[in-house]
Amino acid sequence: MYNRQRGTSPTAEFDHTLIWITGFLLGLGLVMVYSASIAISEAGKNTGHQATYYLTRHAVFLLISVVLGVVSFQVPTKRWQQWAPYLFLSGLVLLILVLIPGLGHEVNGARRWLQLAVFNLQPSELMKVFAVIYAADYTVRKTAFMSNIRKGFLPMFGVMFLAGALLLKEPDFGALAVITVIAMGILFLGGMNWKIFAVLIVLLAVSFCLLIVFSPYRMQRVVGFMDPWSDPYGKGYQLSHALIAFGRGEWFGVGLGGSVEKLFYLPEAHTDFLLAVIAEELGFIGVITVIGMFILIVYRAFLIGRKAALQERYFAALVAQGIGLWIGVQALINMGVNMGVLPTKGLTLPLLSFGGSAIVTTCLAISILLRIDWENRQITRGFTV
């Protein structure tokens, strides 16, 4: 059906490229999570020895994500701006709750989850989308002070330092790195003086290095990353098997379901190291396709943000570009870890890896991005939003 007044199809009001890319990655993720988890599902007592245990849970999370995405799409961008401080505050509260014994659920020495009735909530994942919204709102409100460290940067630094301290307490260094990139990226895009930004980047780099040097387990990860083959059964175990998976995949892979590394050799094959399984089963072509899809998501996010900025909708512009930064940087870190160019870090591959909180929050972010694009199109057509 066509709008006779404007002569345009209602379907033209959506970014179909972004929708199809997201759908493709979610579908591929569902298939690959099933493929990567069959062996551990059948062998695990906590899974009831059911081969479809992770597949079923992942499918449920996808359904929840789609429903939440449809609902959140109805929320105007200006409403997210009004809620920004309260969302960030609620994120801080959740980060505090997860550290309280009896409330926070500990796995492998990390206390990152809140046990709810039907699933475990990971507050650090929610904090990523809250950080995007809050940083965008803060930057818009403080535009006049972006060249002033005391009035422009220090207040933002204070709240982000608090969030960072809580994340390190869990510990979740990966989430801290992503949220730091989000905050700094949005401040820079919002007009922060480039000289101040350069100094801050140097200080942040030094701070991250110190966090690694003075943390034995992080230092071990860096040492294992530098030469995984020196201790292939210890510090370099995960990386060495990920590299083996990449090597076995060659150009076109060994075929869907044919991975050997997922058979109890590669830990976290369905979460952090899903790309290694994709590389083994679908080969270089599969990996380069996934990389291309993420590049397109980042490109669309920045394009949507640019259109919003041209319409002087600066909060919407910064949120769109912040979402692009978040998804792009997290995907880059995960891929770098899988390929052995970055130290091992517990970050999932957005839209693909198993993980309820990660899937839900990333789909929420994509929904907000689609809403911003929809509003751009409505304003272009002469309507108010």
Side-chain angles (χ1 to χ4, degrees), residues 97-299:
L97 290 177
V98 82
L99 297 174
I100 299 175
L103 291 179
H105 180 55
E106 186 172 332
V107 177
N108 296 329
R111 193 185 297 272
R112 301 177 186 173
W113 297 268
L114 288 172
Q115 285 187 309
L116 303 180
V118 293
F119 68 97
N120 293 334
L121 174 67
Q122 190 171 355
S124 59
E125 293 295 336
L126 278 176
M127 200 61 182
K128 292 171 186 176
V129 69
F130 293 167
V132 169
I133 294 170
Y134 178 77
D137 173 58
Y138 177 88
T139 303
V140 170
R141 286 189 287 108
K142 297 284 187 175
T143 299
F145 304 106
M146 280 295 104
S147 296
N148 188 309
I149 292 182
R150 184 174 64 85
K151 294 182 179 180
F153 174 73
L154 286 182
M156 183 68 166
F157 173 78
V159 294
M160 287 300 173
F161 179 83
L162 177 57
L166 293 172
L167 288 168
L168 286 177
K169 194 69 177 175
E170 294 183 7
D172 195 342
F173 189 74
L176 171 61
V178 172
I179 289 173
T180 300
V181 170
I182 289 170
M184 293 300 297
I186 289 177
L187 286 174
F188 179 73
L189 292 168
M192 174 177 280
N193 183 285
W194 71 267
K195 294 181 181 178
I196 297 175
F197 184 78
V199 173
L200 292 174
I201 289 296
V202 172
L203 292 176
L204 282 172
V206 172
S207 299
F208 278 119
C209 288
L210 291 175
L211 285 172
I212 293 171
V213 170
F214 289 102
S215 176
Y217 85 92
R218 292 193 188 106
M219 196 64 191
Q220 286 184 355
R221 286 186 173 184
V222 172
V223 172
F225 146 74
M226 296 296 289
D227 186 9
W229 306 109
S230 64
D231 188 12
Y233 297 105
K235 296 187 292 290
Y237 184 80
Q238 276 185 307
L239 180 53
S240 61
H241 281 281
L243 294 176
I244 291 171
F246 272 86
R248 290 192 75 247
E250 298 184 351
W251 284 97
F252 300 102
V254 297
L256 186 62
S259 169
V260 171
E261 287 301 316
K262 69 184 181 185
L263 303 177
F264 310 105
Y265 294 104
L266 180 62
E268 309 298 336
H270 61 303
T271 55
D272 300 351
F273 284 87
L274 186 67
L275 186 68
V277 178
I278 293 174
E280 187 176 3
E281 296 190 350
L282 305 182
F284 175 80
I285 299 302
V287 173
I288 205 67
T289 299
V290 170
I291 293 174
M293 294 296 102
F294 280 110
I295 290 173
L296 282 173
I297 287 180
V298 174
Y299 170 74

Side-chain angles (χ1 to χ4, degrees), residues 325-346:
L325 270 177
W326 160 24
I327 294 176
V329 168
Q330 182 162 331
L332 182 65
I333 293 174
N334 178 275
M335 292 173 183
V337 168
N338 276 255
M339 296 178 188
V341 297
L342 290 174
T344 303
K345 182 47 46 210

Side-chain angles (χ1 to χ4, degrees), residues 14 62-77 79-80 83 360 363-372 374-375:
F14 300 96
L62 287 183
L63 179 60
I64 294 172
S65 300
V66 171
V67 172
L68 178 63
V70 171
V71 172
S72 60
F73 180 82
Q74 312 305 318
V75 180
T77 306
R79 196 71 66 203
W80 290 111
W83 294 343
V360 169
C363 286
L364 171 62
I366 294 293
S367 174
I368 294 172
L369 187 57
L370 285 168
R371 174 72 192 199
I372 293 170
W374 181 83
E375 291 181 357

Side-chain angles (χ1 to χ4, degrees), residues 19-63:
I19 293 172
W20 279 108
I21 292 171
T22 303
F24 172 80
L25 289 176
L26 289 175
L28 178 63
L30 183 66
V31 173
M32 295 311 302
V33 164
Y34 180 44
S35 177
S37 65
I38 292 176
I40 59 173
S41 296
E42 290 180 335
K45 292 182 180 179
N46 61 329
T47 62
H49 303 288
Q50 299 176 4
T52 59
Y53 177 82
Y54 288 105
L55 171 67
T56 303
R57 290 175 65 85
H58 195 70
V60 170
F61 289 136
L62 287 183
L63 179 60

